[in-house]
Amino acid sequence: MKKILIIIISLTSISSDASAWGKDGHRIVCYMAEQLLSEAKQAAVNTLVSQFNVNGKTYETFAEGCLFPDYVKGRTDEDAWKRYRKDGPLHYVNFSRKTKQVKGAEVKNSTNIMFGIQKGYSYTAQRNPEGLFLLGHVFGDAHQPLHAGYADDLGGNKINQVAGLYGTTNLHAVWDYGIIEVALNGSDWQEYADALLTQIQEENLSYDEAEFADTIIQESYDIATSASVQYCEWDRKKCRKLGPTRTLDKSYQDTHQPIVEQRLKMAAVRLAGWLDKAIHWVE
Ligand code: ADE
Ligand code: ZN
Ligand code: ZN
């Protein structure tokens, strides 16, 4: 019985991750963003982290706290966590298959990641530590290309006969963590993040303050619907659904690892910019 319980618990903890940029992706984005802040603003972030306590759940670092919006997803069957039950759609946005430009496009759900970004930002500006973790989390998700997709396949979660380099999995999971885990190649996420941080400095990456969430989502959507990703195929009118079977090998990794790394770096640079603005009470 004990064994069965352990198996059930570990299975549910795996599936609760299945619809969010994998844990390391979120840690990497939030850690790098924090490193890009001034020391004074880093201190403000850490104060908020230490003030966070929801149902006894606490976090030691911003990087870990950014996992909270996924943690609650796995617990919404429990009464204490029921206020998070409707928050799933804050992690992604889905469009009509005819959409080319996301600005003004038909969106498949009124609560979506645009709303998540707004909510995270305004709560952070009100010095609410939950806002900080939401903002950090959804900036990661917004840069995961398949978090801007289609509802009929759940952003690729239903493209679930993927074989090859990433094992038996689905296309969404390849982008949540498959590509990142192969890129890590056994090294720890922080080491990898430090290397990406060096690249951010070398490439002088910055972001345009005038751009809003729709810029990020347009980029994600353009990547998700590009041919090499094998998510869908453009005909004249729409990005047509393909079957559920894919074999993805090393050439898929070679093509898309640089894209994932660029998305992680831009997520961090932009998150740092938004945090800098939201933490308005520090000079
Ligand atoms: N569930 C439904 N659509 C999704 C998407 N695009 N990303 C993640 N989870 C989803
Ligand atoms: Zn998420
Ligand atoms: Zn996801």
Side-chain angles (χ1 to χ4, degrees):
M1 186 59 190
K2 215 172 176 186
K3 250 190 192 160
I4 293 172
L5 265 180
I6 290 168
I7 290 168
I8 291 171
I9 289 165
S10 54
L11 282 177
T12 46
S13 64
I14 290 167
S15 64
S16 67
D17 281 339
S19 62
W21 199 323
K23 286 187 178 182
D24 284 344
H26 285 295
R27 289 181 178 118
I28 290 164
V29 168
C30 288
Y31 168 79
M32 293 197 299
E34 188 179 6
Q35 298 299 310
L36 293 170
L37 291 174
S38 69
E39 269 182 41
K41 304 238 173 177
Q42 285 185 20
V45 164
N46 284 315
T47 301
L48 286 173
V49 171
S50 67
Q51 287 166 347
F52 179 92
N53 186 331
V54 179
N55 297 333
K57 181 80 182 157
T58 59
Y59 290 95
E60 298 277 321
T61 61
F62 178 45
E64 291 302 315
C66 285
L67 304 177
F68 180 70
D70 279 344
Y71 172 80
V72 298
K73 271 203 215 166
R75 303 204 61 155
T76 45
D77 54 331
E78 297 166 49
D79 277 354
W81 299 92
K82 69 169 185 276
R83 71 184 172 99
Y84 298 99
R85 237 165 254 173
K86 290 202 289 270
D87 284 356
L90 298 182
H91 298 243
Y92 56 85
V93 57
N94 287 319
F95 298 101
S96 150
R97 285 190 179 269
K98 290 183 190 154
T99 299
K100 292 208 167 105
Q101 292 300 120
V102 308
K103 202 169 184 165
E106 181 193 340
V107 170
K108 291 290 178 181
N109 208 328
S110 60
T111 44
N112 60 54
I113 197 162
M114 316 275 193
F115 184 73
I117 290 175
Q118 273 307 321
K119 186 174 169 182
Y121 179 78
S122 64
Y123 281 39
T124 305
Q126 294 164 48
R127 306 178 71 155
N128 175 336
E130 251 190 87
L132 178 72
F133 293 164
L134 179 61
L135 188 65
H137 183 90
V138 293
F139 257 81
D141 280 348
H143 285 77
Q144 203 282 48
L146 289 177
H147 279 236
Y150 303 121
D152 59 13
D153 58 22
L154 305 177
N157 277 295
K158 286 198 194 167
I159 302 173
N160 56 8
Q161 292 172 30
V162 175
L165 181 64
Y166 308 103
T168 310
T169 184
N170 71 71
L171 191 63
H172 189 96
V174 167
W175 284 82
D176 268 353
Y177 31 75
I179 296 169
I180 293 175
E181 295 311 323
V182 173
L184 283 176
N185 191 25
S187 68
D188 116 83
W189 67 264
Q190 205 162 327
E191 226 175 287
Y192 179 73
D194 284 330
L196 291 180
L197 270 172
T198 307
Q199 294 175 24
I200 288 175
Q201 272 133 19
E202 283 169 359
E203 293 165 28
N204 237 324
L205 287 183
S206 64
Y207 86 109
D208 177 357
E209 264 195 61
E211 72 192 16
F212 184 57
D214 52 13
T215 310
I216 303 169
I217 295 300
Q218 182 74 55
E219 293 165 352
S220 280
Y221 185 70
D222 288 344
I223 296 167
T225 61
S226 65
S228 70
V229 172
Q230 300 179 43
Y231 178 47
C232 59
E233 189 173 70
W234 282 106
D235 59 26
R236 256 182 309 146
K237 282 204 175 125
K238 57 182 187 176
C239 206
R240 196 167 50 83
K241 193 172 189 165
L242 304 166
T245 312
R246 309 277 188 283
T247 304
L248 306 180
D249 54 21
K250 187 167 174 302
S251 72
Y252 195 87
Q253 181 72 19
D254 291 344
T255 303
H256 299 106
Q257 183 178 322
I259 294 173
V260 166
E261 290 176 344
Q262 190 62 22
R263 295 309 277 159
L264 293 169
K265 288 185 272 185
M266 283 313 294
V269 167
R270 287 164 165 157
L271 174 57
W274 279 63
L275 284 174
D276 188 51
K277 258 191 286 182
I279 303 172
H280 55 83
W281 60 93
V282 174
E283 264 304 298

